Amino acid sequence: MNALPFAFAYPVILGALVALPVIWWLLRLTPPRPKTEVFPPLKILASVLKREETPAQSPWWLTLLRMLLAATIILAIADPVFNPRTSSLASGGPLVLFVDNSWAAAPDWERRIQTADALIDDAESAGTPVSIAFTADPTNDAIPGTAASARDKLRAAEPRPLVPDRERAFQALRAALNGIKPGTLAFLSDGAAAKADDATIRRLAELQPADLRLIEGDAAGTVAITAANNAADAMTVKVTRLNSSHAASVALNAVDSQGRSIANGRVDFRPGQSVATSSITAPFEMRNDFARVSVDNGATAGAVHLLDDAFKRRRVVLLSGAGGDEFQPLLSPLYYIQRALQPYADLIQPGDSDLSVAIPKLLASNPSIIIMADIGRLPEETYEPLTRWISNGGMLLRFAGPRMAAAPADDPLIPVILRQGERALGGTLSWSEPQSLAEFPGFGPFAGITRPADVVIKRQVLAEPTPDLAERTWASLADGTPLVTMKQLASGQIVLFHVTAEATWSDLPISGTFVDMLRHLLQISRSGGVTSEARGNARVSETLPPFRMLTAKGTLVSETGAARPLIPQAGTEPTANFDNPPGLYGSEDGFTSLNVLPENAELTPLDTTGTNAVREGLIGGESWSAKPALFLAAFLLLLADSLVVLFMNGAFSRSRPPVRTSAMIAIALGAGFLMQTGTLHANDSRPGDDLILQRLDNTHLAYVVTGEPEVDNISERGLEGLTQFLTFRTTLEPAPPVGIDLTKDELAFYPIIYWPVSATAPMPSSAAISRIDAYMRNGGTVLFDTRDQISALDNGGNVSANGQRLQQILGNLDIPPLEPVPSDHVLTKSFYLLSSFPGRYAGSPLWIEARQGGREATEKSAATADGVSPILITGNDFAGAWAIDDNGIPMLPTVPSDETQREYAYRSGVNIMMYMLTGNYKTDQVHVPDLLERLGQ
């Protein structure tokens, strides 16, 4: 390979450049012909013969132009060639190619192939045998052979998503050479050290080649992600780079399992900094959808960090049999659990002390783990939902205590049968001194955790011996009694710590081992509603088959190739190798990720000290001649010279329009355009735009036109009555109510739509249902009124005809769970303080979207805007109570006849409208003093 980027095919021709001064002198002696101008006033002199005049010399810039023309022609004839290939191999031995085909070599792999191919061509021309070895291949046939054979091996090679095993490749190369000294040994390196003490260059020098070359690519783009941690409020990412000589900024991209980018970040490197940490900020649920994080435009396996179930942040519910003491927090049953799990999980505590009420609500938040600290007896109605939740993949983690010790021994949610009472130091079931922990068994999730020498157990609940007790014991004391036991329940697990969660029975909660144990349990729990049973079992003994493999360019493919199943080893993290290349291992139900680099690895340049290796770069491409480009440039210069000469001789003087005429034409055209400005604006309004503007300028109450005149009239007059009440009692002044056709009218103009349900009216079409569903999904609210005083939701089979029609309508709508308005809901205080919502009738509750603590709206569920329920359901006939005639007199009596009930019906309408327009504004704590004052408290 030639060190120069180009050479001349005919360098002798360059001697003609010496003649450039002569050409300059000749050009100065032959100036262009002078231009002739006629002086009109002296026409009488036109008949006089003109005297020939010749300028002394041509302009300097014209002479320079012609000098450039001459120089360009001389260079073109000399034929400069870029990337010339010249044979420079050392003689006396075979050509040896030691090629890195690792993940870092993927971006410039084609240039590496071209470089190696050029060397093979040189060896073929010289008749030199070629030996070739690849550092990321498990085996190498490096025996020197023909150039054609080496070229075939080169064409068959490809980059692999692995760190190069240069020692294995070197041993294969040395065995193949069998003492033969290489002529030229070219090491095509990726530039990075494969390990801390990588001495590959020195090992290659031991082969005593006549010429040792180190050929490297551009290390500036070699970047890798070595760690990702899902912290409490963001995902932290650690990035390392190979070239740390300058400042750099790297863009990060987090994608989901479908390959969609859902979050971005950026990590900045200072000069001299090779490792940097940054964060990607995203909500908890969004971060749990991350499937991998990658460097933008990285295009390598190292620039991609695969994530699995262990990365996802869990939601953990904390329950306690005793209330926390805010004055003595260290005695709180949940204090140490909170401190241990706060950095790694989202913790949820119940808002109701009644477990029969709290547990069903907490289960609706879809937690990964429910932790119960010293809860002995659970309410009977909670066993069935808890059992179902555990069977679907949940983990119930229980801690012992006095209440559990006194509880019945046949509790189905305890993994073992417990003896009545607890084993205490100095008690009936006692030991002479506190017991320490035994080594953790290798089959459990705590395998690999170092046994704490300073933790002692002073009290515990004992398990009755059973044949399978030993295999279900994940931790035990030095005397063999179980400390942590478990029971598999379908896809889930029940785990019991036989000590308390605070430090009264043992020192375990105040040790670092307690944190490690809880983190390991957190990792094997399910995440995001997906059962990770495969992963949980894998940590015990199960092998994981290859599921998706990572290519050297950082893409996931389903072809597993020769990859073997991954066998997790207790206490050690798996590393990528030839048998287990990077990728995902497991199945759709659960998998574990295996990345290219170990966690927190650092890229460092290859050490070349102590060797006489010559550094070279990769070739830029095939040889190419600059002759055509130079001849083209010479032609363009000749053309420019010709145009200049013609211009100087006056060839274009007659065709040039007078400047004044051009200016007048431009002024006239501009004036014409200015005079026609009114015609430049097109009238792009369409029919119906006036109505749209009217709807947007004012707030309108809307009702669904059912096609039944009596029902529609009551709806219109009812909303008119509510409109007038709103105008008189509030600052809201709605415009007249509007009847809408669900099949064609635009619904987005109205904050709420009143729908009087009638069994005799035509059933809405599927298109109308789809439009109302989209309206609710985009933040609108529909008030369904069956007008029959019977709740269609809570009376079992006692459903009216209108209620049945409502069920048919709701069966086609994607609505959220519903509940009657709670006493503390914002609807009860959005304007008036209300305890019920009557209409013509007062017996039906007002149903709204149920408040689910952890439930998030998805694309398929009705969206809520600022806490506003997308659906309201009543049977109290609101419009009947609001309806007034033209004189403002109520059209229908209330049942029973009571004007106070009608007043509260109007107030219910006002509260509903304020709730629609202000959302959860009145739930702010700033309003509490005013509300208490109005209540007289």
Side-chain angles (χ1 to χ4, degrees):
M1 298 178 61
N2 200 312
L4 294 176
F6 68 92
F8 289 94
Y10 306 101
V12 179
I13 304 298
L14 296 177
L17 294 174
V18 180
L20 287 180
V22 179
I23 298 175
W24 174 279
W25 181 72
L26 292 174
L27 290 175
R28 298 284 286 179
L29 293 181
T30 56
R33 183 174 63 88
K35 181 175 62 175
T36 302
E37 292 290 347
V38 177
F39 188 46
L42 302 179
K43 291 184 180 181
I44 192 171
L45 301 177
S47 59
V48 179
L49 295 177
K50 298 181 180 63
R51 183 168 52 90
E52 292 291 336
E53 294 180 356
T54 303
Q57 57 186 10
S58 63
W60 67 268
W61 51 267
L62 181 59
T63 303
L64 179 61
L65 177 65
R66 292 173 177 176
M67 290 289 293
L68 289 176
L69 174 60
T72 303
I73 295 175
I74 293 173
L75 292 175
I77 297 175
D79 191 9
V81 178
F82 286 82
N83 295 325
R85 286 188 45 221
T86 58
S87 177
S88 59
L89 299 181
S91 60
L95 167 66
V96 176
L97 298 177
F98 197 70
V99 184
D100 275 343
N101 58 329
S102 59
W103 65 269
D108 52 8
W109 180 249
E110 293 302 324
R111 293 181 61 197
R112 294 174 183 272
I113 292 293
Q114 294 174 9
T115 303
D117 197 21
L119 291 172
I120 294 175
D121 289 342
D122 293 341
E124 186 176 31
S125 300
T128 302
V130 181
S131 174
I132 186 169
F134 298 96
T135 60
D137 285 355
T139 59
N140 278 288
D141 179 13
I143 298 175
T146 63
S149 176
R151 192 176 289 109
D152 291 340
K153 294 178 184 178
L154 184 64
R155 292 289 183 265
E158 59 182 11
R160 298 179 180 273
L162 294 169
V163 175
D165 191 346
R166 293 168 180 152
E167 182 60 29
R168 175 186 293 208
F170 173 76
Q171 294 298 338
L173 176 62
R174 184 167 62 178
L177 292 176
N178 194 21
I180 301 175
K181 296 181 180 180
T184 295
L185 195 159
F187 178 18
L188 278 74
S189 171
D190 60 18
K195 52 185 179 180
D197 54 347
D198 194 336
T200 304
I201 295 293
R202 292 190 291 275
R203 298 300 303 274
L204 292 175
E206 294 174 1
L207 299 177
Q208 301 179 11
D211 179 20
L212 178 58
R213 302 180 184 179
L214 177 60
I215 304 175
E216 297 175 303
D218 184 11
T222 305
V223 181
I225 300 176
T226 58
N229 179 40
N230 200 355
D233 54 356
M235 181 185 70
T236 58
V237 181
K238 182 176 290 186
V239 182
T240 178
R241 60 173 178 166
L242 186 57
N243 185 356
S244 59
S245 60
H246 58 280
S249 181
V250 175
L252 302 175
N253 188 24
V255 301
D256 61 9
S257 57
Q258 304 298 322
R260 297 171 297 193
S261 176
I262 54 179
N264 302 101
R266 183 168 293 277
V267 58
D268 297 317
F269 290 92
R270 299 187 304 272
Q273 184 182 16
S274 60
V275 178
T277 302
S278 183
S279 62
I280 298 178
T281 304
F284 164 79
E285 290 78 9
M286 184 178 293
R287 281 183 278 124
N288 271 3
D289 287 337
F290 290 175
R292 62 183 181 271
V293 59
S294 60
V295 174
D296 276 358
N297 303 320
T300 65
V304 173
H305 194 82
L306 301 176
L307 307 172
D308 53 22
D309 289 347
F311 167 81
K312 297 181 179 179
R313 194 171 178 87
R314 271 59 166 176
R315 180 177 281 121
V316 178
V317 170
L318 303 180
L319 299 174
S320 174
D325 189 345
E326 62 181 7
F327 299 104
Q328 294 178 307
L330 298 181
L331 300 180
S332 171
L334 298 175
Y335 176 78
Y336 296 102
I337 298 176
Q338 290 174 323
R339 295 293 298 271
L341 293 180
Q342 187 69 49
Y344 314 110
D346 282 353
L347 306 181
I348 303 174
Q349 289 185 279
D352 198 315
S353 59
D354 186 353
L355 292 182
S356 63
V357 176
I359 289 179
K361 292 182 179 180
L362 293 171
L363 290 177
S365 66
N366 194 24
S368 299
I369 303 178
I370 294 180
I371 299 180
M372 296 182 179
D374 190 23
I375 295 179
R377 300 183 182 183
L378 289 167
E380 188 65 31
E381 59 269 25
T382 64
Y383 281 93
E384 192 276 332
L386 275 173
T387 302
R388 184 170 60 252
W389 171 79
I390 297 170
S391 300
N392 290 334
M395 176 184 287
L396 177 62
L397 176 58
R398 305 190 68 173
F399 286 84
R403 292 176 177 82
M404 180 175 288
D410 58 350
D411 189 338
L413 296 182
I414 292 180
V416 294
I417 300 176
L418 297 178
R419 291 185 180 181
Q420 203 72 14
E422 70 270 12
R423 181 189 188 196
L425 185 66
T428 304
L429 299 173
S430 66
W431 48 75
S432 58
E433 60 184 29
Q435 291 288 307
S436 60
L437 270 63
E439 295 288 345
F440 293 107
F443 60 84
F446 306 139
I449 298 179
T450 304
R451 182 186 71 86
D454 56 345
V455 171
V456 293
I457 308 300
K458 296 172 287 188
R459 184 182 296 234
Q460 69 169 157
V461 292
L462 285 175
E464 291 284 356
T466 57
D468 61 346
L469 181 60
E471 64 187 45
R472 293 195 289 114
T473 299
W474 283 352
S476 59
L477 302 183
D479 64 355
T481 56
L483 177 65
V484 181
T485 55
M486 64 80 61
K487 178 174 72 175
Q488 194 77 27
L489 187 62
S491 298
Q493 295 167 325
I494 303 174
V495 182
L496 172 64
F497 278 69
H498 291 238
V499 293
T500 58
E502 28 77 27
T504 56
W505 284 22
S506 71
D507 298 333
L508 181 62
I510 59 176
S511 68
T513 304
F514 187 68
V515 179
D516 293 337
M517 296 173 74
L518 291 183
R519 286 192 63 189
H520 279 66
L521 292 176
L522 199 66
Q523 290 176 355
I524 68 171
S525 67
R526 71 184 177 93
S527 60
V530 179
T531 301
S532 57
E533 179 183 359
R535 180 172 176 84
N537 293 340
R539 288 189 173 269
V540 180
S541 61
E542 185 179 342
T543 60
L544 298 174
F547 175 51
R548 295 284 188 272
M549 293 294 101
L550 190 67
T551 67
K553 293 188 176 182
T555 58
L556 279 175
V557 295
S558 57
E559 293 81 4
T560 58
R564 295 183 179 181
L566 180 66
I567 304 176
Q569 300 294 328
T572 60
E573 289 295 331
T575 56
N577 52 50
F578 296 117
D579 293 331
N580 300 122
L584 303 177
Y585 290 81
S587 63
E588 289 280 1
D589 295 329
F591 49 79
T592 186
S593 62
L594 184 60
N595 290 291
V596 177
L597 297 176
E599 189 171 358
N600 297 320
E602 182 177 348
L603 293 178
T604 56
L606 191 64
D607 184 14
T608 61
T609 58
T611 63
N612 58 350
V614 178
R615 289 182 177 270
E616 296 181 359
L618 300 175
I619 66 175
E622 297 295 334
S623 300
W624 58 278
S625 174
K627 180 191 290 187
L630 290 173
F631 274 125
L632 177 61
F635 173 76
L636 294 177
L637 290 173
L638 178 61
L639 181 62
D641 180 84
S642 302
L643 292 175
V644 168
V645 172
L646 291 175
F647 181 82
M648 294 179 64
N649 290 336
F652 304 107
S653 59
R654 295 184 179 180
S655 61
R656 184 172 61 250
V659 176
R660 185 175 299 177
T661 305
S662 301
M664 293 297 296
I665 294 175
I667 293 173
L669 291 176
F673 279 112
L674 291 176
M675 293 178 64
Q676 300 296 324
T677 53
T679 62
L680 295 179
H681 299 280
N683 184 9
D684 54 358
S685 61
R686 293 177 297 178
D689 284 357
D690 294 340
L691 180 62
I692 292 176
L693 293 176
Q694 182 183 355
R695 296 287 187 264
L696 292 175
D697 288 342
N698 300 280
T699 300
H700 295 264
L701 307 185
Y703 65 92
V704 174
V705 176
T706 64
E708 297 182 334
E710 183 178 354
V711 174
D712 295 340
N713 181 56
I714 293 297
S715 297
E716 181 182 9
R717 300 312 306 170
L719 295 186
E720 177 62 30
L722 180 60
T723 297
Q724 294 185 17
F725 191 89
L726 286 166
T727 302
F728 296 149
R729 298 290 185 91
T730 73
T731 58
L732 177 65
E733 298 181 1
V738 176
I740 58 174
D741 185 348
L742 294 179
T743 60
K744 61 181 181 180
D745 289 336
E746 179 57 55
L747 309 181
F749 302 140
Y750 314 105
I752 186 171
I753 297 176
Y754 178 76
W755 191 332
V757 180
S758 175
T760 56
M763 179 69 184
S765 65
S766 58
I769 295 294
S770 297
R771 298 188 77 230
I772 202 70
D773 185 62
Y775 168 77
M776 297 168 63
R777 198 186 306 276
N778 291 327
T781 298
V782 180
L783 171 57
F784 293 95
D785 194 344
T786 57
R787 304 172 295 115
D788 51 15
Q789 195 179 3
I790 300 175
S791 172
L793 302 178
D794 63 350
N795 280 283
N798 187 21
V799 180
S800 66
N802 289 351
Q804 293 177 1
R805 173 56 59 86
L806 175 62
Q807 291 178 348
Q808 295 174 2
I809 296 174
L810 298 184
N812 297 320
L813 286 173
D814 190 10
I815 61 172
L818 305 176
E819 65 177 357
V821 175
S823 59
D824 61 342
H825 195 273
V826 65
L827 261 173
T828 64
K829 52 193 174 184
S830 59
F831 193 84
Y832 294 104
L833 296 180
L834 300 176
S835 58
S836 61
F837 299 87
R840 281 190 67 210
Y841 311 107
S844 175
L846 178 63
W847 293 81
I848 63 171
E849 178 184 5
R851 295 183 294 187
Q852 304 288 339
R855 184 182 57 80
E856 295 291 341
T858 63
E859 292 182 358
K860 294 184 178 180
S861 66
T864 59
D866 199 20
V868 176
S869 174
I871 182 173
L872 304 176
I873 298 177
T874 186
N876 286 335
D877 191 8
F878 282 161
W882 300 334
I884 58 174
D885 59 18
D886 294 337
N887 298 319
I889 300 175
M891 297 177 63
L892 299 174
T894 60
V895 179
S897 180
D898 184 1
E899 288 306 308
T900 301
Q901 178 175 325
R902 190 185 305 277
E903 171 68 19
Y904 276 93
Y906 277 119
R907 293 186 178 187
S908 298
V910 171
N911 273 27
I912 290 173
M913 279 303 300
M914 294 303 172
Y915 172 61
M916 294 301 103
L917 298 176
T918 63
N920 57 10
Y921 166 68
K922 278 297 179 72
T923 62
D924 294 342
Q925 290 298 310
V926 69
H927 299 286
V928 171
D930 294 332
L931 295 175
L932 293 178
E933 181 181 355
R934 293 187 63 184
L935 290 172
Q937 300 181 10

